[in-house]
Amino acid sequence: SKRTKIKALLTGEQTGMEVTVMGWVRAFRQNRFIALNDGSTNNNIQIVVDFENTDPALLKRITVGAAISVSGILSESLGQGQKVEIPASVIEVLGDCDPEKYPLQLKNRPSLEYLREIAHLRFRTNTFGSVFRLRNALSFAVHRFFQERGFVYLHTPVITASDAEGAGETFRVTTLDPAKPPLTESGEIDFKQDFFGKATNLTVSGQLEGELGAMALSDIYTFGPTFRAENSNTTRHLAEFWMIEPEMAFCDLAENMDTAEALLKYVISYALEHNREDIEFLSQRLLEEEKSKPQQERSEMNLVEKLQFCLDNDFERLTYTEAIEILRNSPHNKKKKFQYLVEGWGTDLQSEHERYLVEKHFKKPVILTDYPKEIKAFYMRQNDDGKTVRAMDILFPGIGEIVGGSQREERLDKLEQRMDEMGIPKDELWWYLDTRRFGACQHAGFGLGFERLVLFVTGMGNIRDVIPFPRAPKTAEF
Ligand code: ATP
Ligand code: MG
Ligand code: MG
Ligand code: MG
């Protein structure tokens, strides 16, 4: 008969009905009770086996990790811990799992480090079940937010010639055949023969292309894989991550901030509403981890409270210049507790500074605006002071920068002047400059790092644990 998902059965509304469930065995106790999981929820359904009337050869094959199919009448459970159970009338082993070899046999909860080494199997743990169901919900909520507001989902290229943004190190795309590499006249491999003879790279941001869309469709967003050859090994950077980049015509910096704050609140509240069970599971898991920390390092709020707090408060908005003053005069700076001391105006903030502002000073999410133009990209709208640009970064507790955005420079002369100053080739970006020639208008947008959002909502500590297949130095092979 037709398979029913375990999550749907656990509500207990269909007792008395014949049902079939399929999943993977999580535990088999006393040759009698199977805890079965199919990934629809962390809660297992209890299967009761009539072991006296079951073939011993079949019983032996019911091992942790095996895939099985069970049919029976969904019944009320008299045991503790579950409302319903299935006394099995038919059990079929679909896929055996050798208990000697299965790496997830462990009685104690395996460490995240160990699970990263067996990343191909970690989907089968409750922690990663919750993380990836939340990732899914957040991604759906992102689309829902934009679709409800009439944004067009625009697919920007993964292979692109534009790396002019200078957002980070780029991965080069090459079509070289290693067996028959084209040679230069002097007999060396001709590495310039990339993508059909054109030097290209994997996209570091879809923004420049996104702006082209916005200059006709008004409001667009991208949501796709983004690549940066990050040479640092942090818990906040991946070589392949997903970025959400809305771009809005007729929009200034203030509206840009409003949109970003509304988006973050919308998706967090969506997750709290639709994936409460997973958030509560991760919250509980975090509490257990916190117990091993010294009292003063434990966080004051649990995960649910932390997310709710973020919804209930306006993000603090201030300028970079104001932030520098706060940091410079902070007790942290005076006692030299920062690794990088804040001495003056003009330098970029490190994540320790961002987190100080959020976690210690304002104790809520922060939006910093009007950064020095020297530390920001060429396309940002220049302020009249000649020193700052209309940039904004959103900083989150435990994360630091989660969003980076700006109002864009729509004035051709100012844009060209800035490109010249920064040595950015105007001829390569002629198509971008055309948007400023043909009906330019005020516009703005931002980039939200999807994994940083998932980190925040799941409370996980390492970005490699919130993407199914992490791509970073020394990650598992896929
Ligand atoms: P950071 O200062 O953390 O390196 P950035 O300023 O280089 O970030 P942006 O170019 O502003 O990043 O990109 C927009 C957003 O994309 C960032 O705010 C962040 O959320 C996310 N992001 C950037 N680089 C990475 C990365 N390597 N891995 C995961 N997310 C990233
Ligand atoms: Mg960076
Ligand atoms: Mg940054
Ligand atoms: Mg940034």
Side-chain angles (χ1 to χ4, degrees):
S1 65
K2 210 168 157 282
R3 172 172 69 106
T4 312
K5 288 276 176 81
I6 290 170
K7 186 176 181 178
L9 293 182
L10 291 176
T11 56
E13 276 160 22
Q14 307 169 51
T15 47
M17 277 180 48
E18 160 97 19
V19 294
T20 298
V21 289
M22 297 178 195
W24 294 268
V25 175
R26 283 286 176 89
F28 187 29
R29 289 179 290 117
Q30 301 157 347
N31 253 354
R32 197 168 156 74
F33 301 109
I34 303 171
L36 193 68
N37 187 282
D38 66 0
S40 57
T41 162
N42 278 345
N43 297 317
N44 305 319
I45 191 146
Q46 172 154 287
I47 310 293
V48 185
V49 182
D50 178 5
F51 65 96
E52 278 160 353
N53 296 306
T54 305
D55 177 5
L58 176 64
L59 283 179
K60 271 191 83 178
R61 293 175 62 202
I62 303 175
T63 58
V64 172
I68 66 170
S69 167
V70 176
S71 298
I73 307 284
L74 186 71
S75 312
E76 232 172 273
S77 175
L78 300 177
Q80 286 201 329
Q82 67 268 325
K83 271 207 297 206
V84 292
E85 61 188 21
I86 304 173
S89 55
V90 185
I91 301 179
E92 196 188 334
V93 174
L94 305 172
D96 293 278
C97 181
D98 183 345
E100 301 291 310
K101 294 188 180 141
Y102 190 52
L104 287 172
Q105 282 292 345
L106 311 168
K107 280 260 161 16
N108 296 327
R109 175 176 283 161
S111 73
L112 294 172
E113 289 75 25
Y114 173 67
L115 291 174
R116 236 169 269 144
E117 281 165 31
I118 51 158
H120 60 300
L121 292 174
R122 66 182 181 169
F123 299 97
R124 295 183 180 203
T125 62
N126 282 342
T127 298
F128 286 95
S130 284
V131 167
F132 293 131
R133 280 190 298 270
L134 271 164
R135 186 180 164 106
N136 168 65
L138 288 165
S139 132
F140 179 73
V142 164
H143 283 294
R144 218 170 85 161
F145 175 88
F146 287 118
Q147 295 297 328
E148 279 175 358
R149 283 158 184 78
F151 283 64
V152 174
Y153 181 27
L154 193 78
H155 303 95
T156 49
V158 168
I159 298 175
T160 168
S162 97
D163 67 342
E165 201 208 351
E169 289 293 303
T170 56
F171 287 113
R172 192 95 184 259
V173 174
T174 173
T175 48
L176 290 185
D177 175 355
K180 284 180 286 165
L183 303 178
T184 61
E185 276 171 31
S186 57
E188 281 154 16
I189 297 176
D190 186 358
F191 287 108
K192 286 207 191 72
Q193 286 205 27
D194 285 7
F195 193 70
F196 310 116
K198 189 169 173 61
T200 51
N201 52 271
L202 297 178
T203 181
V204 293
S205 159
Q207 183 204 312
L208 302 190
E209 292 94 341
E211 283 185 52
L212 307 182
M215 286 302 105
L217 299 161
S218 290
D219 297 324
I220 65 95
Y221 69 106
T222 73
F223 186 178
T226 308
F227 306 86
R228 294 186 189 178
E230 308 277 5
N231 49 20
S232 55
N233 242 314
T234 79
T235 55
R236 300 286 176 271
H237 292 90
L238 288 161
E240 176 178 312
F241 63 102
W242 286 64
M243 187 149 59
I244 296 138
E245 293 179 281
E247 193 66 36
M248 297 157 282
F250 317 109
C251 175
D252 64 9
L253 187 65
E255 280 175 85
N256 197 25
M257 290 191 275
D258 292 343
T259 307
E261 182 168 342
L263 168 65
L264 287 164
K265 286 180 170 167
Y266 182 98
V267 299
I268 292 166
S269 114
Y270 181 92
L272 272 171
E273 189 181 328
H274 295 265
N275 288 62
R276 188 80 184 189
E277 203 180 275
D278 289 318
I279 293 176
E280 267 162 15
F281 172 83
L282 292 168
S283 186
Q284 192 54 40
R285 185 186 188 290
L286 271 171
L287 280 184
E288 285 162 31
E289 251 175 42
E290 293 260 311
K291 280 186 197 145
S292 62
K293 291 189 192 162
Q295 188 79 43
Q296 68 270 23
E297 279 175 36
R298 293 184 207 165
S299 65
E300 293 155 29
M301 285 187 246
N302 70 31
L303 182 60
V304 178
E305 290 163 341
K306 211 175 82 179
L307 298 178
Q308 192 58 49
F309 184 79
C310 177
L311 299 182
D312 295 342
N313 286 281
D314 288 341
F315 297 180
E316 187 74 33
R317 298 182 185 190
L318 66 156
T319 65
Y320 162 91
T321 307
E322 289 164 328
I324 285 288
E325 278 315 295
I326 291 171
L327 289 166
R328 196 158 57 170
N329 298 319
S330 67
H332 232 68
N333 204 45
K334 296 200 162 130
K335 290 186 198 143
K336 299 197 169 23
K337 279 198 196 156
F338 286 130
Q339 198 188 338
Y340 296 92
L341 293 182
V342 181
E343 268 146 19
W345 197 89
T347 51
D348 205 359
L349 298 180
Q350 303 292 323
S351 84
E352 56 172 346
H353 308 132
E354 298 174 336
R355 291 185 58 179
Y356 178 88
L357 289 170
V358 172
E359 292 159 26
K360 297 255 161 34
H361 191 85
F362 291 108
K363 297 190 196 296
K364 57 176 166 159
V366 167
I367 313 185
L368 293 189
T369 61
D370 302 285
Y371 281 72
K373 65 177 179 190
E374 276 73 27
I375 57 174
K376 289 292 182 187
F378 72 93
Y379 50 70
M380 296 191 181
R381 181 66 154 73
Q382 296 172 54
N383 281 321
D384 293 339
D385 62 9
K387 292 193 316 201
T388 59
V389 288
R390 291 188 194 160
M392 63 112 171
D393 275 14
I394 303 190
L395 317 177
F396 259 41
I399 307 286
E401 178 181 340
I402 192 166
V403 164
S406 68
Q407 186 180 324
R408 320 302 189 192
E409 183 57 82
E410 81 282 13
R411 300 164 298 183
L412 182 64
D413 56 334
K414 298 274 182 198
L415 186 60
E416 286 188 326
Q417 189 195 338
R418 192 71 194 126
M419 291 172 81
D420 287 342
E421 282 166 15
M422 295 176 74
I424 290 164
K426 285 186 301 215
D427 52 339
E428 278 176 26
L429 286 177
W430 60 273
W431 50 272
Y432 182 70
L433 291 169
D434 264 2
T435 56
R436 274 60 173 175
R437 291 189 183 107
F438 309 135
C441 70
Q442 175 173 283
H443 63 292
F446 60 87
L448 162 63
F450 186 53
E451 283 72 23
R452 296 205 186 164
L453 172 68
V454 184
L455 267 181
F456 180 69
V457 174
T458 57
M460 299 293 282
N462 189 322
I463 201 162
R464 296 176 191 199
D465 294 335
V466 298
I467 187 165
F469 303 99
R471 315 274 44 198
K474 297 197 201 112
T475 47
E477 303 281 322
F478 294 108

